[in-house]
């Protein structure tokens, strides 16, 4: 299905080279204002064609709100948005109807849909479908911010170049804001130049590189979420794994917890000056038993290198039923990590707002 959410539902539609992509946001509370210029800024962070480190496909990601907003406020009925596709070159993808891209969904999509899938630009499997996710999250971010909840992210790693991690006990809103203004959002600014060099080198070699994004949610009170199947981790995982190229997700110290004793990984608790329970560390990423504990929710996503590269690769020809060689034409990203940062942020924001609305009796 193309719909996600409990009380707050998001339906996404479209293909990379179709007339448009878009979404229906159902369940937004009535009476919320939206700063559309801020939504446009969020969309621009993800949009292609901004610099030499992304695909030259130039989409402005202009959007048209079709319903659900009147006289400066949400109405409480479905908010529908359309984002037109304009800069398409579908002819570049003619061969990909039968020559399958290694590492891409060409083959699995063809099998799943019996050969009727739209293969142009990756069709419904394209990163183009993250544009409506960013739109939805940009709306959710503003609603969350009015409740003191903020979401931020940065590039933790591209290939072997690493940024320093977030302070697990929290970052100031100004840090998140600064990151949204940067082409390569990092905490240790010199690392941005090194990451740019790695991306450029991959591009010149007709190749691509992946990386890791670290995200943080601050201001989320204790007590949200549920054990087992409706845990905060489960909700975020379902949304985040819908983002193309995400291949790994961890919370807090994640896989590093395997090497820690309980005396280290347990987050010691205390009452702060205003009587709020806090922890002295945040190895568990702000979640215990699937429920928020009041500390920042901290997670990391692994983004694999883009599948579309210019190097010759071994593949199969599904028309001839033979092995074949493939050199991919068209316009593609040598690295999608920097464009994925706002996607991860906004996907998380939408999920957190849904969790708050689902526990509606506590939503204020």
């Amino acid at each position: 299905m193309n719909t996600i959410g409990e009380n707050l539902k998001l339906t996404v539609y479209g293909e990379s080279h179709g007339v448009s992509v878009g979404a229906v946001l159902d369940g937004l509370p009535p009476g919320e204002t939206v700063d559309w210029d801020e939504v446009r800024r969020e969309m621009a962070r993800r949009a292609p064609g901004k610099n030499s480190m992304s695909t030259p496909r130039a989409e402005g990601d202009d959007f048209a709100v079709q319903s659900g907003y009147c006289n400066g406020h949400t109405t409480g009925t479905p908010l529908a948005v359309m984002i037109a596709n304009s800069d398409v070159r579908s002819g570049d993808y003619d061969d990909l109807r039968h020559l399958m891209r290694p590492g891409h969904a060409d083959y699995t999509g063809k099998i799943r849909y019996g050969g009727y899938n739209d293969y142009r630009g990756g069709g419904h499997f394209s990163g183009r479908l993250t544009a409506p996710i960013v739109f939805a999250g940009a709306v959710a971010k503003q609603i969350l911010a009015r409740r003191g909840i903020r979401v931020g992210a940065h590039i933790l790693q591209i290939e072997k170049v690493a940024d320093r991690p977030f302070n697990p006990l929290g970052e100031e809103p100004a840090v998140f804001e600064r990151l949204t203004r940067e082409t390569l959002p990092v905490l240790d600014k010199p690392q941005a130049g090194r990451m740019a060099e790695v991306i450029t080198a991959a591009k010149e070699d007709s190749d691509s590189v992946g990386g890791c994004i670290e995200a943080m949610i601050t201001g989320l009170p204790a007590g949200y979420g549920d054990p087992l199947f409706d845990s905060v981790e489960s909700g975020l995982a379902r949304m985040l794994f819908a983002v193309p190229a995400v291949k790994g997700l961890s919370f807090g110290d994640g896989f590093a917890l395997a090497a820690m004793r309980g005396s280290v990984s347990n987050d010691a608790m205390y009452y702060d000056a205003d009587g709020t329970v806090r922890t002295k560390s945040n190895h568990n990423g702000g979640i215990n038993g699937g429920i928020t504990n009041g500390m920042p929710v901290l997670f990391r996503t692994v983004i694999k290198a883009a599948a579309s590269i210019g190097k010759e690769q071994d593949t199969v020809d599904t028309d001839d039923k033979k092995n074949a060689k493939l050199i991919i034409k068209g316009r593609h990203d040598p690295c999608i990590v920097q464009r994925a940062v706002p996607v991860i942020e906004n996907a998380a924001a939408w999920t957190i707002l849904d969790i708050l609305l689902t526990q509606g009796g506590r939503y204020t």
Side-chain angles (χ1 to χ4, degrees):
M1 297 296 291
N2 300 291
T3 299
I4 191 170
E6 295 297 325
N7 284 13
L8 185 63
K9 295 186 181 295
L10 173 65
T11 299
V12 173
Y13 77 86
E15 292 85 27
S16 181
H17 288 200
V19 175
S20 67
V21 296
V24 176
L25 289 60
D26 199 355
L28 288 170
E32 296 285 349
T33 60
V34 179
D35 181 342
W36 296 114
D37 286 337
E38 180 60 21
V39 174
R40 291 184 185 92
R41 191 175 75 85
E42 286 287 324
M43 298 287 286
R45 294 174 62 203
R46 190 220 68 91
K50 299 298 183 182
N51 54 65
S52 62
M53 291 182 290
S54 74
T55 170
R57 177 178 177 176
E59 293 285 0
D61 278 359
D62 294 329
F63 57 84
V65 174
Q66 308 288 306
S67 65
Y69 199 79
C70 183
N71 294 327
H73 295 86
T74 55
T75 63
T77 55
L79 193 157
V81 63
M82 183 182 73
I83 306 163
N85 292 327
S86 57
D87 186 19
V88 298
R89 292 189 345 204
S90 299
D92 290 343
Y93 295 86
D94 288 345
D95 289 345
L96 301 183
R97 179 190 60 77
H98 60 101
L99 291 174
M100 306 291 98
R101 279 175 289 182
H104 206 281
D106 293 338
Y107 176 70
T108 55
K110 187 168 188 174
I111 297 300
R112 170 65 178 81
Y113 295 107
Y116 292 101
N117 57 301
D118 185 343
Y119 55 85
R120 302 168 303 165
H124 195 60
F125 298 95
S126 170
R128 183 79 184 127
L129 273 295
T130 61
I133 293 176
V134 170
F135 174 91
V139 173
K141 262 189 176 181
Q142 295 183 36
I143 298 174
L144 291 174
R146 287 195 279 271
R147 277 74 179 175
I149 300 168
R150 291 176 170 80
V151 185
H154 70 115
I155 301 172
L156 185 62
Q157 180 180 343
I158 289 182
E159 203 172 58
K160 296 180 180 179
V161 180
D163 189 22
R164 67 172 176 84
F166 277 138
N167 177 352
L169 299 181
E171 295 281 359
E172 293 297 321
V175 173
F176 292 167
E177 172 63 20
R178 176 181 68 78
L179 290 169
T180 68
R181 306 286 175 175
E182 298 179 2
T183 301
L184 291 172
V186 294
L187 299 172
D188 186 5
K189 289 189 176 182
Q191 294 302 80
R194 298 182 181 98
M195 290 178 181
E197 291 173 359
V198 166
I199 295 170
T200 300
K203 181 179 181 180
E204 292 174 349
D205 198 28
S206 300
D207 216 330
S208 61
V209 290
C212 180
I213 295 170
E214 183 179 50
M216 175 178 281
I217 305 162
T218 62
L220 190 57
Y224 283 99
D226 286 293
L228 301 178
F229 308 118
D230 288 321
S231 68
V232 173
E233 296 105 324
S234 299
L236 286 168
R238 188 178 182 212
M239 173 61 95
L240 293 169
F241 278 116
V243 177
V246 169
K247 282 295 185 179
L249 172 64
S250 66
F251 291 87
D253 285 350
F255 288 94
L257 291 166
M260 295 182 187
R261 290 189 174 186
S263 56
V264 177
S265 62
N266 291 342
D267 297 310
M269 306 167 75
Y270 70 98
Y271 281 104
D272 69 8
D274 65 3
T276 301
V277 173
R278 297 185 61 80
T279 62
K280 295 181 179 180
S281 56
N282 194 16
H283 300 297
N284 293 279
I287 305 168
N288 296 116
I291 300 169
T292 58
N293 64 16
M295 297 299 290
V297 171
L298 183 66
F299 64 88
R300 296 173 178 178
T301 53
V302 174
I303 311 292
K304 73 170 186 172
S308 295
I309 61 175
K311 286 182 176 294
E312 184 179 82
Q313 300 177 84
D314 292 324
T315 189
V316 294
D317 187 323
T318 57
D319 279 356
D320 296 339
K321 302 294 190 295
K322 293 181 179 179
N323 296 328
K325 299 289 185 180
L326 172 66
I327 296 178
I328 297 172
K329 297 178 290 185
R331 301 164 295 174
H332 306 287
D333 292 91
C335 181
I336 59 176
V337 178
Q338 69 276 17
R339 292 180 59 205
V341 171
V343 181
I344 297 300
E345 279 181 31
N346 286 290
W350 182 264
T351 302
I352 293 301
L353 182 57
D354 183 29
I355 290 171
L356 296 186
L357 291 174
T358 298
Q359 294 181 216
R362 304 192 54 214
Y363 180 75
T364 57

